[in-house]
């Protein structure tokens, strides 16, 4: 794949430099990251996402035993209900 070379103004030394289109490309003059703001933004997003995922996971861990028990009871009651309906139908049909 051919990367388009672009001229861009370095945000640090304000000189024109080549940008290959990569996130981690550095300025030819001062060797600073050209996309530092974008990298910071992405890292902040990633951190935010991880914090949210951890919080969601913690919440899930907290709820899980209760929900598992509850869904176990619900399916037992449901199966019992279906079985008694079948039993009633069979009894009345006979
Ligand atoms: Zn520079």
């Amino acid at each position: 794949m051919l990367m388009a070379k672009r001229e861009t103004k370095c945000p640090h030394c304000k000189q024109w430099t080549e940008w290959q289109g990569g996130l981690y490309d550095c300025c030819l003059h001062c060797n600073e990251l050209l996309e530092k703001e974008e990298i910071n933004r992405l890292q902040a997003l990633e951190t935010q996402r991880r914090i949210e995922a951890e919080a969601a996971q913690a919440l899930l861990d907290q709820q899980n035993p209760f929900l598992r028990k509850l869904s176990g009871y619900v399916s037992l009651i449901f199966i019992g209900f279906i079985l008694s309906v079948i039993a009633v139908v069979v009894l009345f049909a006979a």
Side-chain angles (χ1 to χ4, degrees):
M1 200 177 84
L2 202 75
M3 287 269 225
K5 272 187 188 174
R6 268 169 282 181
E7 289 275 302
T8 186
K9 211 170 201 174
C10 172
H12 306 279
C13 64
K14 311 291 179 205
Q15 293 196 71
W16 287 96
T17 181
E18 258 177 28
W19 180 44
Q20 317 272 346
L23 201 55
Y24 293 96
D25 287 350
C26 291
C27 172
L28 294 173
H29 307 284
C30 66
N31 211 32
E32 281 283 349
L33 285 164
L34 293 170
E35 291 292 281
K36 202 162 191 162
E37 276 181 31
E38 182 67 6
I39 289 167
N40 286 342
R41 202 178 64 80
L42 287 174
Q43 275 175 349
L45 266 176
E46 176 63 24
T47 309
Q48 177 74 15
R49 204 190 55 78
R50 204 168 47 226
I51 288 170
E52 276 170 16
E54 275 169 16
Q57 188 58 48
L59 207 69
L60 220 66
D61 286 345
Q62 242 173 23
Q63 284 180 346
N64 247 0
F66 174 70
L67 280 183
R68 254 203 308 268
K69 228 181 244 177
L70 189 74
S71 66
Y73 284 135
V74 168
S75 45
L76 266 183
I77 290 166
F78 185 70
I79 290 167
F81 176 73
I82 296 291
L83 284 179
S84 26
V85 167
I86 290 171
V88 167
V89 166
V90 167
L91 278 177
F92 276 91

